[in-house]
Amino acid sequence: MTELAKKRPEFSNINALYFAYHDGTNYQDVIFGSSNYRDNTWRHFAISRQNGVLRAFVDGVQVGTNQTVTQSFYSSNRIVVGAELASPTYFTGYIDDLRITRAARYTANFTPPTQAFPNQ
């Protein structure tokens, strides 16, 4: 482990699913639910936005409440995966099959995929 990695705070005490983005001035955190996902179990996480409504899903079930986010993600402002940069705090697990698309793939509860995403 590098010295930098040793000094970074981790999400070890965070019991929620976070989404963070930059609004051009500040980092904004959106918090979904209050469950502890640090249980050594592979999970399917999805965050989807349709018409300014942001939803989060864990294993196909919506968690937390709908959040309104009107910020354009097509601009030079950033979304963040695996870190909350206002503090900063970093995710320390594994991320596999990360996919970012322009289409809102999930707007209601769904059955999560059981296989890796196809190469499309």
Side-chain angles (χ1 to χ4, degrees):
M1 182 180 292
T2 68
E3 288 300 312
L4 177 62
K6 288 180 186 177
K7 295 178 184 176
R8 290 190 243 178
E10 299 176 357
F11 283 128
S12 60
N13 297 320
I14 305 299
N15 291 324
L17 179 60
Y18 280 71
F19 176 80
Y21 66 95
H22 197 274
D23 67 7
T25 304
N26 297 301
Y27 285 99
Q28 302 296 326
D29 290 328
V30 181
I31 303 169
F32 295 98
S34 59
S35 294
N36 183 353
Y37 301 112
R38 296 177 58 90
D39 59 0
N40 295 318
T41 301
W42 282 97
R43 302 235 180 238
H44 181 274
F45 293 98
I47 296 181
S48 180
R49 185 174 78 163
Q50 181 181 44
N51 299 324
V53 176
L54 198 66
R55 296 173 180 87
F57 301 88
V58 177
D59 297 330
V61 177
Q62 186 171 349
V63 295
T65 58
N66 293 348
Q67 302 289 323
T68 301
V69 176
T70 58
Q71 172 68 40
S72 170
F73 297 134
Y74 299 118
S75 68
S76 60
N77 299 330
R78 297 179 282 183
I79 60 170
V80 178
V81 176
E84 184 275 306
L85 297 180
S87 295
T89 308
Y90 300 89
F91 174 70
T92 58
Y94 298 97
I95 297 174
D96 189 24
D97 284 345
L98 175 67
R99 177 168 64 173
I100 300 173
T101 65
R102 290 185 177 199
R105 299 201 175 265
Y106 309 114
T107 58
N109 291 349
F110 62 95
T111 301
T114 58
Q115 298 179 16
F117 292 127
N119 294 329
Q120 295 180 16

